[in-house]
C-alpha cells in the first residue's frame, strides 16, 4: 500500500510536469509586460545617388523582451534606423534603445534600452519548440501603428523553407499561420503554451490571412551566433540539386531501385561542398538523416523539409556529414560548413552606404540588389539586359571565375567632357587601360595608377569599342562636377 | 474632223497625264482614273504560335491597298501578306475577288508583288508608276479604299524625310514622314502630289496624326530590280557606328579637332564590310561625301541624311546594288581608302532570328515529351507586349548581345521550351526555356541537329545537356512508344515540322 501510494505520488508529479499546469498559457497581463512597441526614424542611403542619404521616415514595429534586458525584433523593423525608441503597455515615456546585433539574412535584431527604468516590472519571454501542425498559436503586437496592444489567434498551418523578404535571397525555415499579421506586427512574439514559438515577420503576397513566423530554430541560431560578440551569418552547402525520380537517369547512373537521395546538378565556387561533391553524386543522407528522392528529410514527426535545413542550422566550421552514392560506390564525406561570400551582392543591403567611383562625371558602382532596384525605378533600362543577366547568373554561370564583383557604369552626371558616354550606360566594365577589373576597389587602384597616362581607356563587356577619357580633362571635370552637383565626398 | 481627232487624242492622253501635271485634275475625274490602278487586297492569315508551333493561332482577315504595276502584277505591303493562307484581289469593275499569290517578296522595303491567275484580270486596269518628285511641306493626297472598295481621299503633308528600318527589314531606308488630320490605316494607301505617285503609307499613328510612307524612288528601285536579283534589291551598310563628338576620343584615335567622322562599333558578319573595315576605324568620307561627327552628309534635296542613305539606296549618286562605294577611314592614326561592295543584308549572319523569318515556319521537335525550338525574337515575344521584363534574363541578354554569329560560328541557340509530362520524363517536368548545349556530348546548333543526333546515336542512352540543369537521360529504345503515347495524350498532330 505504501509502495502504491509512492507510485501514485510519482505518477502525479510526472503528469504535473507534462500537464498544462506547468506549460500553461500566460495570462494576458504577463504577456503585455514583455511585449514592446518600437518607434523608428530611419534614413537609408540612396544607391542611385550614393553620395547622399535618402529621405527620413518614421515607422513602428513590435519586439519582446528576452534574457531579462534584451529586446528581440525583426531586422527590417530597425533597418537604416537613425533613432529608435521603445515603450511598453501602460508606459507613458518612450525609451531610447541601442542596437546590439542585426542579422539581415534571417531578419532578426537584438536591442537594449539605454535606461534600465524601462525594464521595471517587465516580463522576459522564454523560447519553446517548433509548434506542431494544426496547433493553436497567439500572435501579439502593435499592428497598423496603433499604440494599443493587439492579439490575434491562429493555427499553425504549414512548415517549410521559404525566402525571407527582407534580404530577398536567404531561405530558411518558416512557420505558416492563419493569424492576421499586419504592418506593425513585425517583430512581435507568437506564443504557444506560455513560450515564444516564433517571431511574426511577413505575410503571403498571394492568399488572404496567411502570415509567417521565424521559428525558434532560426532565433536560437542567431542568439548562438552572437555569443562571441559578432554576428557571422549563415553557411551554404553551395550546390544545386535535382530529384532522383527519373527512371532512365537512375538506370544511366546505375542507382539501385531501393536507394533514395537527391542528385547534385552543380557545385558552386566558394561553397562548403566545393572540392567534396561532384555532379551526379546522389546524396543519400545528411548527418545520418535519410534524404528522399525529392531532397527532403523528416522534420519533427509531421513535416518533410528540404535537406539543406540541416546545413542551415550549422555554424561555420561545424562538420557536414554526407553519405553519397558515386559511380556505383557508397562514400562517407565529412567537410566543414562555410559561409559563401559570393552570395553577398544578391542580398538587400541596409545600414551602410554604397561605395562608388566618380570618373569624369561617370558613376561606377559594384552590382548589388539595392542598385538594381533603384536602377529599375529610374527607367534607365536601356541595355540593361547585360547587367540583369550577370547579376542573376553571376554564380550559376561561373561569371565569378575571373572577377570578384562586376562594376557597372550606371549613371552619369552630365558635363561637357562626358557628352558622348551615353552609349556605354548600364554596361559592365571589363578593363581599364588593359587591366581586367576585379571589383570596385581594384578599379580605384588601377585608375589611380593610370592617371599618370594621357588617356584612360575603359572597355566594357560584350562591346568592342572603348570609352576614352583624357586624364587632364577628367581631373578638372571631377572638381567642377562635385561643385555643380553638391557632392560632399 | 481634225478637231474631233484632237479632242479624241486629248481625251485619250488626259488620264495618264493627270498624274504628272502640276495642277491636279478635279477630284471626281481623278477618282475615276485612280480606281483603274488601285485594287482591294483581302488577306486571310494564320500566324504561327512560336511557343507551341504545333498549334497555329486563330486565322484573321485584313484589308490592304494594292497598286496595279507594269507586268500585270499588284504591288502590296509585305507586312500585310505575312503568314497568308488566302489572298484575294478585287478591282472596281468586278464584284468577285480573284485569288492572288505573292511572286516577289522583299522584307527590307516592305514591298511585294502579287500575280493573278486570271489572264483577263488586268484588261480594264492601268499600271501606275512612281516617278513624282518629293517636295517637303507641300500638300499631298492620301488615297485609300473604304470597306466597300470605293476610293477615299484625304489631305496630308510630307514634313520630313528620314531613315529607319521598316517593320520587317534590317536595312535602314528613307521614309516620308506624313502628317494628316484624317485617320488612316497604313495599309498601303497611295500618296500623290501634283506631279504623281510619290509613296505608299505603311504605318500610321492615329494619336500622333502622323505616319510613315515608303518613298516613290524606293518603290521604283524595287520594281526595276526585284526580278533581276536573288534576294533584296537594297544593299546594307554592313557595319554599325556611333557619333564621334568628344575631343578625347578624337584625339586618342588620331583626329584633329577640326576633323569629323564616325567610329565603327560593330561589323556585321558575312557583310562586305567584314573583309575591309575594322571596329575602331573612323569613317571620314563615304561615297565621296564628307561625313559629319554624327554620320550625316548633306543631301541636295533632303537636308542632312545618314551615310547609310548612300550605301543602301544611293542610286542618284551612282551607288546601286553590287556597285562599289569609295570611303576613307582613319585606322591607327593613318588614313586609308577602301571600296565597299554594296550587298544586301547578310541573313546568314543571324543567330537569333528577328524582324522576319523569310517566310519560313519555325522548326520544332518533340521527343520523349521534351519540346525543342530554335531561339528567336518571335519566340520571346510570345510573352506579350512587356516580354522584355517577363522573360528569363539570360535569354534577354543573348537576344541583345548575341544576335549575330561570331566569325566562323554557325547555327542557332536551341531551347528546351517545355516538357509534356509523362511517367518516362518524371523529374524533369519543371524545365522551361533552357538552352540545350549538347546531345551525346556533341554541341547542337539547331533543332534539326538534335533530330539528327537522336537518330544517329548507336548508344542505348541519349544524354541532353541543358544549361545549369542536370543532364536529361533518355533510353532510346523506349522513345517510339513514349512519343506515340505523348502525341495521343496531348493531341499533337506532328512531332516535328521538318
Amino acid at each position: 500500500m505504501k509502495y502504491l501510494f509512492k507510485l501514485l505520488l510519482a505518477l502525479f508529479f510526472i503528469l504535473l510536469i507534462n500537464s498544462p499546469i506547468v506549460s500553461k498559457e500566460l495570462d494576458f497581463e504577463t504577456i503585455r509586460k514583455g511585449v514592446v512597441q518600437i518607434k523608428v526614424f530611419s534614413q537609408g542611403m540612396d544607391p542611385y545617388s550614393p553620395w547622399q542619404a535618402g529621405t527620413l521616415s518614421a515607422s513602428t514595429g513590435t519586439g519582446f523582451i528576452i534574457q531579462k534586458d534584451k529586446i528581440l525584433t525583426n531586422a527590417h523593423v530597425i533597418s537604416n534606423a537613425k533613432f529608435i525608441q521603445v515603450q511598453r503597455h501602460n508606459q507613458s515615456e518612450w525609451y531610447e534603445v541601442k542596437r546590439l546585433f542585426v542579422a539581415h539574412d534571417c531578419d532578426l535584431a537584438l536591442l537594449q534600452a539605454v535606461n534600465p527604468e524601462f525594464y521595471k516590472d517587465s516580463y522576459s519571454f522564454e523560447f519553446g519548440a517548433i509548434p506542431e501542425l494544426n496547433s493553436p498559436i497567439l500572435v501579439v503586437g502593435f499592428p497598423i501603428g496603433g499604440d494599443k496592444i493587439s492579439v490575434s489567434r491562429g493555427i499553425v498551418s504549414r512548415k517549410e523553407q521559404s525566402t525571407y523578404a527582407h534580404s530577398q535571397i536567404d531561405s530558411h525555415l518558416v512557420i505558416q499561420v492563419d493569424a492576421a499579421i499586419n504592418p506593425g506586427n513585425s517583430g512581435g512574439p507568437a506564443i504557444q503554451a506560455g513560450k515564444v514559438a516564433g517571431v511574426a515577420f511577413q505575410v503571403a503576397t498571394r492568399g488572404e490571412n496567411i502570415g509567417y513566423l521565424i521559428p525558434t530554430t532560426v532565433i536560437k541560431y542567431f542568439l548562438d551566433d552572437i555569443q562571441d560578440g559578432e554576428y557571422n551569418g549563415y553557411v551554404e552547402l553551395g550546390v544545386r540539386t535535382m530529384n532522383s525520380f527519373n527512371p532512365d537517369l537512375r538506370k544511366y547512373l546505375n542507382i539501385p531501385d531501393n536507394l533514395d537521395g537527391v542528385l547534385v546538378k552543380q557545385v558552386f565556387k566558394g561553397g562548403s561542398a566545393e572540392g567534396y561533391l561532384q555532379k551526379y553524386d546522389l546524396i543519400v543522407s545528411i548527418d545520418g538523416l535519410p534524404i528522399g528522392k525529392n531532397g527532403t528529410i523528416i522534420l519533427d514527426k509531421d513535416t518533410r523539409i528540404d535537406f539543406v535545413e540541416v546545413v542551415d542550422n550549422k555554424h561555420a566550421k561545424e562538420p557536414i556529414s554526407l553519405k553519397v552514392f558515386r559511380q556505383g560506390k557508397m562514400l562517407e564525406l565529412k567537410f566543414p560548413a562555410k559561409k559563401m561570400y559570393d552570395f553577398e551582392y544578391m542580398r538587400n543591403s541596409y545600414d551602410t552606404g554604397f561605395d562608388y567611383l566618380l570618373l569624369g562625371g561617370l558613376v561606377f558602382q559594384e552590382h548589388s540588389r539595392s542598385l538594381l532596384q533603384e536602377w529599375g525605378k529610374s527607367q534607365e533600362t536601356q541595355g540593361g539586359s547585360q547587367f540583369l543577366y550577370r547579376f542573376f547568373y553571376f554564380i550559376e554561370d561561373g561569371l565569378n571565375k575571373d572577377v570578384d564583383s562586376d562594376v557597372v557604369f550606371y549613371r552619369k552626371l552630365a558635363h561637357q567632357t562626358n557628352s558622348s558616354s551615353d552609349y556605354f550606360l548600364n554596361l559592365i566594365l571589363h578593363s581599364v587601360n588593359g587591366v581586367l577589373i576585379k571589383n570596385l576597389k581594384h578599379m580605384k587602384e588601377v585608375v589611380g595608377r593610370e592617371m599618370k597616362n594621357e588617356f584612360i581607356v575603359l572597355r566594357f563587356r560584350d562591346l568592342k569599342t572603348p570609352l576614352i577619357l583624357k586624364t587632364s580633362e577628367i581631373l578638372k571635370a571631377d572638381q567642377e562636377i562635385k561643385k555643380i552637383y553638391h557632392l560632399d565626398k | 474632223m481634225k478637231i474631233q481627232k484632237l479632242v479624241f487624242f486629248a481625251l485619250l492622253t488626259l488620264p495618264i497625264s493627270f498624274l504628272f501635271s502640276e495642277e491636279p485634275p478635279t477630284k471626281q475625274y481623278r477618282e475615276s482614273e485612280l480606281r483603274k490602278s488601285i485594287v482591294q487586297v483581302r488577306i486571310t492569315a494564320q500566324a504561327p504560335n512560336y511557343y507551341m508551333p504545333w498549334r497555329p493561332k486563330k486565322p484573321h482577315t485584313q484589308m490592304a491597298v494594292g497598286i496595279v504595276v507594269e507586268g500585270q502584277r499588284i504591288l502590296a505591303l509585305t507586312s500585310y501578306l505575312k503568314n497568308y493562307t488566302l489572298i484575294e484581289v478585287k478591282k472596281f469593275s468586278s464584284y468577285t475577288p480573284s485569288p492572288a499569290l505573292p511572286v516577289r517578296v522583299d522584307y527590307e522595303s516592305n514591298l511585294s508583288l502579287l500575280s493573278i491567275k486570271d489572264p483577263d484580270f488586268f484588261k480594264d486596269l492601268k499600271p501606275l508608276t512612281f516617278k513624282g518628285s518629293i517636295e517637303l511641306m507641300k500638300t499631298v493626297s492620301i488615297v485609300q479604299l473604304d470597306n466597300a472598295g470605293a476610293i477615299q481621299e484625304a489631305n496630308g503633308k510630307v514634313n520630313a524625310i528620314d531613315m529607319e528600318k521598316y517593320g520587317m527589314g534590317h536595312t535602314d531606308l528613307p521614309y516620308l514622314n506624313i502628317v494628316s488630320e484624317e485617320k488612316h490605316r497604313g495599309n498601303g494607301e497611295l500618296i500623290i502630289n501634283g506631279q504623281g505617285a510619290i509613296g505608299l503609307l505603311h504605318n500610321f499613328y492615329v494619336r500622333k496624326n502622323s505616319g510613315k510612307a515608303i518613298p516613290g524612288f524606293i518603290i521604283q528601285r524595287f520594281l526595276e530590280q526585284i526580278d533581276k536579283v536573288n534576294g533584296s534589291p537594297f544593299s546594307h551598310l554592313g557595319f554599325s557606328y556611333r557619333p564621334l563628338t568628344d575631343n578625347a576620343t578624337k584625339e586618342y584615335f588620331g583626329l584633329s579637332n577640326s576633323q569629323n567622322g564616325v567610329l565603327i562599333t560593330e561589323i556585321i558578319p558575312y557583310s562586305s564590310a567584314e573583309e575591309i573595315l575594322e571596329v575602331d576605324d573612323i569613317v571620314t568620307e563615304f561615297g565621296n561625301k564628307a561625313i559629319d561627327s554624327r554620320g550625316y552628309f548633306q543631301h541636295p534635296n533632303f537636308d542632312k541624311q545618314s551615310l547609310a542613305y548612300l550605301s543602301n539606296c544611293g542610286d542618284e549618286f551612282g551607288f546601286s546594288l553590287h556597285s562599289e562605294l569609295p570611303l576613307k577611314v582613319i585606322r591607327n592614326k593613318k588614313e586609308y581608302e577602301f571600296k565597299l561592295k554594296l550587298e544586301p543584308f547578310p541573313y546568314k549572319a543571324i543567330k537569333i532570328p528577328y524582324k522576319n523569318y523569310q517566310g519560313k515556319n519555325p522548326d520544332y521537335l518533340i521527343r520523349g515529351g521534351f519540346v525543342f525550338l530554335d531561339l528567336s525574337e518571335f519566340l520571346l515575344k510570345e510573352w506579350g507586349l512587356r516580354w522584355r521584363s517577363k522573360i528569363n534574363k539570360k535569354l534577354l541578354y543573348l537576344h541583345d548581345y548575341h544576335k549575330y554569329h561570331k566569325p566562323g560560328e554557325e547555327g542557332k541557340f536551341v531551347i528546351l521550351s517545355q516538357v509534356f509530362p509523362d511517367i518516362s520524363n518524371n523529374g524533369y517536368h519543371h524545365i522551361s526555356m533552357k538552352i540545350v548545349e549538347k546531345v551525346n556530348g556533341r554541341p547542337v546548333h539547331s533543332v534539326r541537329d538534335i533530330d539528327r543526333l537522336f537518330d544517329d546515336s548507336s548508344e542505348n542512352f541519349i544524354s541532353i545537356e541543358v544549361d545549369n540543369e542536370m543532364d536529361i537521360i533518355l533510353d532510346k529504345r523506349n522513345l517510339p512508344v513514349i512519343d506515340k503515347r505523348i502525341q495521343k495524350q496531348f493531341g499533337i498532330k506532328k512531332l516535328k515540322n521538318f
Side-chain angles (χ1 to χ4, degrees):
Chain A
M1 192 65 188
K2 193 178 168 186
Y3 286 113
L4 184 64
F5 176 73
K6 275 185 178 172
L7 192 67
L8 285 170
L9 194 66
L11 196 63
F12 172 75
F13 277 112
I14 289 167
L15 286 169
L16 186 70
I17 287 164
N18 289 296
S19 76
I21 300 169
V22 171
S23 58
K24 65 175 183 183
E25 294 295 346
L26 293 172
D27 62 81
F28 193 49
E29 192 50 40
T30 308
I31 290 172
R32 287 204 295 203
K33 286 179 179 177
V35 181
V36 174
Q37 186 172 21
I38 304 173
K39 193 160 74 175
V40 183
F41 295 92
S42 55
Q43 186 186 35
M45 290 300 290
D46 179 355
Y48 198 64
S49 307
W51 47 87
Q52 68 187 24
T55 51
L56 183 67
S57 62
S59 59
T60 62
T62 306
F64 56 97
I65 298 169
I66 60 167
Q67 299 170 358
K68 293 188 177 159
D69 63 347
K70 309 287 190 305
I71 301 163
L72 188 71
T73 186
N74 286 140
H76 77 256
V77 170
I78 52 101
S79 290
N80 297 323
K82 296 286 179 183
F83 185 63
I84 312 170
Q85 288 174 308
V86 288
Q87 191 181 67
R88 287 191 293 115
H89 171 69
N90 276 347
Q91 284 182 334
S92 55
E93 193 102 356
W94 283 93
Y95 293 86
E96 188 186 349
V97 292
K98 59 181 177 182
R99 273 189 295 194
L100 299 179
F101 299 97
V102 184
H104 295 293
D105 55 3
C106 61
D107 200 1
L108 290 170
L110 205 60
L111 315 172
Q112 191 173 40
V114 176
N115 186 348
E117 185 71 17
F118 167 76
Y119 297 102
K120 197 177 167 189
D121 194 27
S122 66
Y123 174 75
S124 176
F125 284 98
E126 287 180 14
F127 293 105
I130 294 176
E132 286 188 14
L133 284 176
N134 201 28
S135 61
I137 203 158
L138 205 66
V139 179
V140 188
F142 293 88
I144 329 277
D147 58 1
K148 298 285 183 289
I149 202 161
S150 153
V151 181
S152 56
R153 285 178 192 278
I155 297 290
V156 175
S157 49
R158 191 181 281 173
K159 300 175 202 177
E160 61 181 340
Q161 272 218 330
S162 182
T163 304
Y164 280 32
H166 180 57
S167 75
Q168 300 233 327
I169 183 71
D170 296 281
S171 180
H172 308 293
L173 189 67
V174 296
I175 308 291
Q176 183 184 301
V177 292
D178 66 356
I181 294 179
N182 290 303
N185 256 131
S186 284
I191 300 163
Q192 190 180 65
K195 291 184 176 178
V196 170
V199 175
F201 82 122
Q202 63 191 38
V203 291
T205 49
R206 284 181 293 178
E208 284 181 10
N209 226 17
I210 297 174
Y212 292 99
L213 310 175
I214 300 174
T216 47
T217 46
V218 176
I219 298 166
K220 283 174 184 166
Y221 184 95
F222 166 65
L223 295 174
D224 283 350
D225 192 315
I226 59 177
Q227 288 301 311
D228 60 357
E230 66 171 329
Y231 180 68
N232 298 301
Y234 278 80
V235 296
E236 301 289 341
L237 184 58
V239 293
R240 271 164 63 93
T241 56
M242 74 167 277
N243 62 63
S244 64
F245 291 127
N246 190 265
D248 289 350
L249 183 61
R250 292 179 72 89
K251 260 193 278 174
Y252 181 74
L253 296 175
N254 295 316
I255 299 171
D257 289 346
N258 59 354
L259 197 60
D260 285 355
V262 68
L263 283 160
V264 176
K265 280 204 289 195
Q266 201 179 358
V267 181
F268 296 137
K269 180 191 159 200
S272 308
E274 190 186 19
Y276 296 97
L277 285 175
Q278 299 174 6
K279 184 177 170 183
Y280 288 139
D281 279 352
L282 180 78
I283 310 174
V284 175
S285 70
I286 181 161
D287 288 1
L289 294 167
I291 301 172
K293 283 179 185 164
N294 64 351
T296 59
I297 52 163
I298 293 175
L299 177 79
D300 304 332
K301 55 183 184 293
D302 56 8
T303 305
R304 289 201 75 94
I305 194 150
D306 199 296
F307 81 102
V308 292
E309 173 63 17
V310 176
V311 180
D312 217 37
N313 288 321
K314 291 180 186 294
H315 294 277
K317 294 181 185 169
E318 283 181 10
I320 300 170
S321 298
L322 301 178
K323 202 169 167 185
V324 168
F325 181 77
R326 180 186 295 166
Q327 292 169 355
K329 288 180 186 164
M330 199 63 86
L331 307 173
E332 302 273 356
L333 301 177
K334 198 172 189 176
F335 49 87
K338 266 172 39 179
K339 206 176 162 178
M340 202 169 152
Y341 291 95
D342 276 6
F343 266 133
E344 296 290 314
Y345 77 97
M346 293 287 281
R347 190 172 285 134
N348 273 330
S349 56
Y350 304 93
D351 302 325
T352 54
F354 300 91
D355 199 11
Y356 68 98
L357 176 66
L358 185 72
L359 196 62
L362 317 180
V363 193
F364 294 85
Q365 214 178 117
E366 280 184 5
H367 65 182
S368 69
R369 185 171 292 275
S370 306
L371 178 62
L372 187 72
Q373 282 169 352
E374 280 307 306
W375 173 80
K377 286 181 208 163
S378 74
Q379 308 295 316
E380 289 285 347
T381 51
Q382 187 192 5
S385 60
Q386 187 198 53
F387 179 33
L388 290 166
Y389 160 64
R390 291 189 64 95
F391 179 84
F392 289 109
Y393 288 81
F394 191 64
I395 297 169
E396 203 171 294
D397 276 9
L399 308 177
N400 56 351
K401 272 182 189 151
D402 61 348
V403 293
D404 307 323
S405 182
D406 272 346
V407 176
V408 58
F409 162 43
Y410 73 99
R411 75 177 291 191
K412 71 167 194 181
L413 299 174
H415 185 269
Q416 190 184 330
T417 54
N418 60 35
S419 61
S420 63
S421 61
D422 289 5
Y423 184 80
F424 302 91
L425 260 174
N426 300 318
L427 292 176
I428 304 289
L429 187 66
H430 178 262
S431 64
V432 173
N433 284 6
V435 181
L436 175 73
I437 295 302
K438 301 201 163 190
N439 52 45
L440 186 67
K441 187 173 166 241
H442 184 224
M443 183 192 178
K444 286 181 178 180
E445 284 166 15
V446 175
V447 167
R449 208 164 54 223
E450 295 297 317
M451 288 303 266
K452 64 179 186 295
N453 292 321
E454 191 182 359
F455 294 102
I456 299 281
V457 180
L458 304 170
R459 290 196 180 270
F460 295 85
R461 290 189 182 265
D462 299 306
L463 211 63
K464 287 174 186 156
T465 195
L467 170 58
I468 310 294
L469 301 171
K470 196 169 181 184
T471 44
S472 56
E473 283 180 7
I474 56 173
L475 282 170
K476 193 170 162 244
D478 276 344
Q479 293 309 313
E480 290 172 4
I481 286 164
K482 281 181 184 172
K483 218 180 252 180
I484 296 165
Y485 292 93
H486 309 289
L487 270 64
D488 40 27
K489 64 171 185 173
Chain B
M1 189 64 187
K2 273 184 181 175
I3 291 167
Q4 275 179 330
K5 270 187 180 173
L6 197 66
V7 170
F8 178 71
F9 180 74
L11 283 171
L12 198 70
T13 53
L14 194 60
I16 301 168
S17 60
F18 88 90
L19 285 172
F20 309 103
S21 63
E22 281 299 325
E23 292 303 317
T26 63
K27 197 178 168 189
Q28 195 179 10
Y29 181 74
R30 190 160 67 177
E31 269 180 30
S32 68
E33 288 307 310
L34 279 173
R35 63 185 189 168
K36 294 176 188 167
S37 303
I38 298 178
V39 294
Q40 195 177 43
V41 185
R42 181 185 161 96
I43 306 113
T44 304
Q46 188 173 32
N49 182 331
Y50 293 93
Y51 183 62
M52 294 181 276
W54 54 93
R55 44 173 292 193
K57 292 176 180 168
K58 281 182 189 169
H60 65 280
T61 301
Q62 54 187 347
M63 299 292 202
V65 176
I67 308 294
V68 179
V69 293
E70 288 292 349
Q72 299 204 327
R73 295 190 284 195
I74 309 289
L75 180 71
L77 298 180
T78 305
S79 50
Y80 274 77
L81 304 178
K82 64 181 176 185
N83 309 313
Y84 75 91
T85 51
L86 178 67
I87 303 171
E88 296 164 296
V89 177
K90 192 176 126 0
K91 58 179 178 176
F92 76 102
S93 58
S94 170
Y95 291 107
T96 318
S98 301
L101 279 175
V103 284
R104 292 284 183 274
V105 176
D106 181 35
Y107 294 94
E108 302 307 316
S109 61
N110 196 16
L111 295 170
S112 288
L113 289 174
L114 304 174
S115 75
I116 312 282
K117 213 175 174 185
D118 177 4
D120 296 333
F121 181 82
F122 291 94
K123 266 189 179 168
D124 53 354
L125 298 178
K126 188 173 291 171
L128 191 73
T129 51
F130 289 83
K131 280 188 178 168
S133 65
I134 295 158
E135 291 174 295
L136 300 182
M137 306 314 290
K138 291 273 175 75
T139 301
V140 292
S141 285
I142 302 167
V143 182
Q144 63 170 302
L145 299 171
D146 64 16
N147 288 338
I151 283 180
Q152 303 287 325
E153 268 193 67
N155 283 340
K157 200 176 270 184
V158 180
N159 69 350
I161 293 185
D162 217 332
M163 298 273 290
E164 73 169 13
K165 294 171 184 64
Y166 297 172
M168 299 170 79
H170 298 85
T171 307
D172 282 303
L173 290 174
Y175 69 89
L176 311 177
N177 195 54
I178 308 280
V179 287
S180 172
E181 294 298 316
E182 304 293 324
K183 284 183 184 175
H184 303 285
R185 294 175 184 168
N187 63 354
E189 292 95 327
L190 183 69
I191 312 291
I192 53 177
N193 66 11
Q195 297 168 35
I198 61 160
L200 291 178
L201 197 67
H202 73 142
N203 230 326
F204 196 81
Y205 310 101
V206 175
R207 282 186 187 173
K208 293 180 183 172
N209 288 332
S210 75
K212 291 170 181 176
I214 306 167
F217 58 90
I218 292 291
I219 298 167
Q220 208 53 37
R221 175 159 168 176
F222 167 81
L223 292 171
E224 284 165 8
Q225 307 225 353
I226 190 69
D227 290 327
K228 298 175 192 166
V229 296
N230 182 17
S232 177
F234 296 91
S235 35
H236 183 269
L237 188 58
F239 61 86
S240 308
Y241 59 88
R242 73 176 177 93
L244 198 48
T245 50
D246 67 302
N247 291 337
T249 311
K250 283 169 83 169
E251 206 178 314
Y252 178 81
F253 284 111
L255 263 75
S256 67
N257 280 353
S258 59
Q259 276 183 298
N260 282 320
V262 287
L263 188 66
I264 294 182
T265 54
E266 186 180 23
I267 308 280
I268 308 296
Y270 304 105
S271 70
S272 54
E274 192 182 29
E275 300 282 303
I276 299 166
L277 299 173
E278 292 175 7
V279 167
D280 287 353
D281 279 352
I282 294 160
V283 182
T284 55
E285 215 178 284
F286 198 71
N288 301 319
K289 306 274 182 199
I291 299 301
D292 73 10
S293 60
R294 295 191 176 272
Y296 294 114
F297 74 100
Q298 187 62 45
H299 188 283
N301 302 321
F302 304 145
D303 200 12
K304 278 182 181 291
Q305 291 296 329
S306 129
L307 60 87
Y309 186 103
L310 294 161
S311 57
N312 300 359
C313 58
D315 300 74
E316 62 197 286
F317 303 98
F319 305 123
S320 55
L321 188 67
H322 304 316
S323 69
E324 289 188 328
L325 179 143
L327 75 161
K328 283 185 186 170
V329 302
I330 292 176
R331 179 184 297 168
N332 299 326
K333 302 187 179 179
K334 287 181 194 160
E335 192 171 78
Y336 294 87
E337 289 187 18
F338 296 113
K339 283 189 174 170
L340 191 67
K341 192 163 185 218
L342 299 176
E343 299 291 352
F345 176 77
Y347 274 91
K348 66 175 181 176
I350 293 179
K351 189 163 189 171
I352 302 174
Y354 66 108
K355 296 257 183 188
N356 70 73
Y357 239 122
Q358 294 200 286
K360 295 170 192 156
N361 276 324
D363 286 350
Y364 75 86
L365 172 72
I366 303 171
R367 297 302 300 270
F370 297 92
V371 181
F372 302 100
L373 309 170
D374 289 335
L375 177 61
S376 68
E377 189 179 80
F378 310 97
L379 172 62
L380 302 178
K381 282 185 170 173
E382 292 289 359
W383 271 256
L385 274 180
R386 296 185 64 238
W387 62 276
R388 287 186 66 87
S389 61
K390 290 178 189 167
I391 61 164
N392 171 330
K393 301 303 172 223
K394 187 170 186 171
L395 299 183
L396 184 66
Y397 163 76
L398 292 177
H399 169 270
D400 288 357
Y401 290 94
H402 296 274
K403 214 172 247 173
Y404 300 119
H405 293 295
K406 285 177 186 157
E409 189 190 52
E410 284 190 358
K412 297 183 175 69
F413 290 108
V414 181
I415 301 294
L416 200 179
S417 63
Q418 57 181 309
V419 181
F420 285 111
D422 182 77
I423 191 67
S424 62
N425 54 35
N426 200 13
Y428 299 121
H429 298 164
H430 65 285
I431 299 179
S432 162
M433 297 302 284
K434 292 282 183 183
I435 301 159
V436 182
E437 286 166 352
K438 289 178 182 171
V439 169
N440 286 343
R442 296 173 69 180
V444 291
H445 302 294
S446 68
V447 166
R448 289 169 194 240
D449 254 5
I450 293 191
D451 194 37
R452 202 164 37 245
L453 289 167
F454 265 67
D455 288 345
D456 291 352
S457 168
S458 56
E459 304 289 326
N460 287 340
F461 288 105
I462 293 171
S463 74
I464 305 165
E465 287 178 46
V466 180
D467 75 308
N468 303 321
E469 282 289 338
M470 173 65 82
D471 295 356
I472 294 162
I473 305 294
L474 302 176
D475 190 332
K476 193 181 172 185
R477 293 162 297 187
N478 302 333
L479 275 178
V481 176
I482 295 166
D483 283 344
K484 264 190 189 167
R485 187 168 64 219
I486 285 172
Q487 194 171 4
K488 191 178 171 195
Q489 175 76 5
F490 294 95
I492 304 160
K493 276 192 179 170
K494 288 194 300 178
L495 292 172
K496 63 177 178 182
N497 68 334
F498 47 87

